[in-house]
């Protein structure tokens, strides 16, 4: 009794890493906002209710409004006695159906999802290239009713591989010290009625993948030649009129770290 009274058995804080999937349709992105519902806010409230502590998760990627995720990463600190590997089950009982924690585990106290020696993020952008819209795919693909020349789009996308200054593919609101990023893998393929752009890199600027998708769509329609991508990279000029493809087509597939 005395030992418990004076706190000798008090549990030290543990940092828990979560792998999260979500349908971003009904949310204003990941990051907390004053007047809109976000993924981060829902997670914080659910974890606070579960643990009885005031919890604030730290996410790896601030996905935009309407963007989905299959492998978002976040961490939080807790005194809870719930085993780390059981948090995924426990928290899912308190989350809405469009947010699911796929995995949970303990990590070192100083482990941060945005500051590691090596981080690779993979996104996929899906385009539904049919004459009519598909109501069953409208939330997860961008619809383009005009025929798209996949060969020209693939040629254009080849310019993106490697290390470049991607400032020309970032929103004018983006505030970063450097636009230099490295794209390590890129695949553009057509399967049936869908065209999928899968892109992996060490980081992405604000709206970068959606702007790349928007330019590739214009290439596919014949408004731009494939060399337009090279021109945008070289000019590094942000423009207000550059097409940003709809958020619904974008999914954060995976985040990998150097220790994995």
């Amino acid at each position: 009794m005395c030992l418990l009274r004076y706190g000798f058995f008090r549990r030290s804080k543990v940092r828990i890493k979560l792998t999260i999937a979500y349908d971003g349709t009904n949310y204003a992105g990941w990051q907390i906002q004053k007047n809109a519902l976000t993924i981060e806010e829902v997670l914080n409230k659910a974890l606070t209710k579960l643990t009885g502590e005031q919890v604030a998760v730290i996410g790896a990627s601030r996905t935009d409004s309407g963007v989905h995720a299959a492998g978002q990463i976040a961490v939080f600190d807790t005194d809870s006695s719930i085993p780390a590997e059981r948090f995924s089950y426990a928290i899912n009982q308190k989350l809405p159906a469009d947010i699911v924690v796929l995995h949970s585990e303990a990590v070192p106290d100083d482990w941060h999802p945005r500051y590691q020696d090596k981080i690779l993020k993979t996104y996929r952008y899906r385009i539904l290239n049919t004459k009519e819209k598909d109501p069953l795919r409208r939330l997860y693909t961008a619809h383009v009713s005009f025929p798209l020349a996949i060969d020209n789009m693939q040629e254009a996308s080849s310019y993106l591989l490697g290390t470049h200054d991607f400032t020309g593919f970032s929103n004018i609101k983006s505030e970063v010290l450097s636009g230099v990023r490295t794209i390590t893998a890129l695949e553009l393929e057509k399967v049936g009625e869908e065209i999928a752009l899968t892109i992996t890199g060490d980081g992405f600027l604000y709206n970068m993948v959606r702007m790349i998708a928007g330019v590739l769509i214009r290439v596919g329609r014949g408004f731009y030649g494939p060399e337009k991508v090279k021109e945008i990279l070289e000019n590094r000029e942000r423009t207000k009129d550059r097409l940003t493809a709809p958020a619904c087509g974008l999914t954060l597939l995976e985040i990998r770290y150097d220790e994995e």
Side-chain angles (χ1 to χ4, degrees):
M1 293 292 291
C2 292
L3 290 176
L4 289 173
R5 179 181 177 185
Y6 289 102
F8 288 99
F9 291 134
R10 184 178 179 180
R11 177 183 171 89
S12 60
K13 280 193 178 294
V14 176
R15 177 156 287 195
I16 306 295
K17 174 185 174 186
L18 305 175
T19 303
I20 310 153
Y22 50 83
D23 178 337
T25 302
N26 296 319
Y27 300 93
W30 169 267
Q31 192 174 15
I32 286 180
Q33 299 180 30
K34 289 184 178 180
N35 301 311
L37 186 66
T38 66
I39 305 294
E40 185 178 24
E41 177 185 346
V42 173
L43 276 170
N44 285 348
K45 288 182 177 179
L47 286 166
T48 295
K49 186 176 181 180
L50 175 66
T51 63
E53 307 163 334
Q54 194 62 40
V55 174
V57 299
I58 302 171
S61 185
R62 296 169 181 173
T63 54
D64 296 337
S65 177
V67 174
H68 315 294
Q72 171 72 284
I73 301 295
V75 298
F76 70 97
D77 298 322
T78 180
D79 288 321
S80 173
S81 61
I82 299 174
E85 67 277 7
R86 294 289 293 170
F87 258 102
S88 56
Y89 173 80
I91 191 58
N92 283 335
Q93 312 309 306
K94 300 184 181 301
L95 288 172
D98 51 7
I99 304 175
V100 175
V101 175
L102 303 173
H103 181 73
S104 59
E105 62 181 302
V107 290
D109 294 347
D110 60 351
W111 194 91
H112 196 290
R114 294 199 298 272
Y115 306 118
Q116 297 295 321
D117 291 339
K118 184 179 179 181
I119 304 176
L120 288 176
K121 299 180 181 181
T122 300
Y123 284 88
R124 177 169 293 153
Y125 196 90
R126 294 169 58 196
I127 302 163
L128 179 62
N129 193 201
T130 57
K131 184 177 180 180
E132 301 296 339
K133 296 180 180 180
D134 183 344
L136 300 181
R137 287 184 279 184
R138 75 190 191 284
L139 301 180
Y140 311 106
T141 59
H143 179 248
V144 178
S145 60
F146 298 92
L148 295 174
I150 185 67
D151 291 345
N152 288 344
M153 295 173 71
Q154 289 171 331
E155 180 183 346
S157 67
S158 67
Y159 292 111
L160 299 166
L161 275 169
T163 302
H164 306 281
D165 188 329
F166 285 93
T167 299
F169 284 101
S170 64
N171 191 287
I172 58 173
K173 296 180 181 179
S174 181
E175 296 181 2
V176 292
L177 296 176
S178 172
V180 176
R181 300 290 187 273
T182 300
I183 301 302
T184 58
L186 185 149
E187 184 178 35
L188 184 71
E189 60 178 349
K190 184 171 185 178
V191 179
E193 299 172 326
E194 286 192 22
I195 296 173
L197 168 68
T198 306
I199 184 168
T200 300
D202 61 1
F204 294 89
L205 305 176
Y206 180 51
N207 280 169
M208 178 173 154
V209 179
R210 289 170 59 194
M211 296 190 84
I212 287 172
V215 169
L216 292 179
I217 289 171
R218 288 193 173 187
V219 170
R221 291 191 61 184
F223 296 143
Y224 296 154
E227 67 282 353
K228 181 67 175 182
V229 169
K230 182 180 180 182
E231 178 186 323
I232 294 172
L233 289 172
E234 292 175 346
N235 290 343
R236 301 191 299 275
E237 182 180 357
R238 295 173 179 155
T239 63
K240 293 181 180 180
D241 62 347
R242 186 155 296 143
L243 175 66
T244 302
C248 59
L250 185 60
T251 299
L252 171 60
L253 285 186
E254 182 184 31
I255 301 175
R256 302 197 307 275
Y257 298 93
D258 59 350
E259 72 269 17
E260 297 177 351

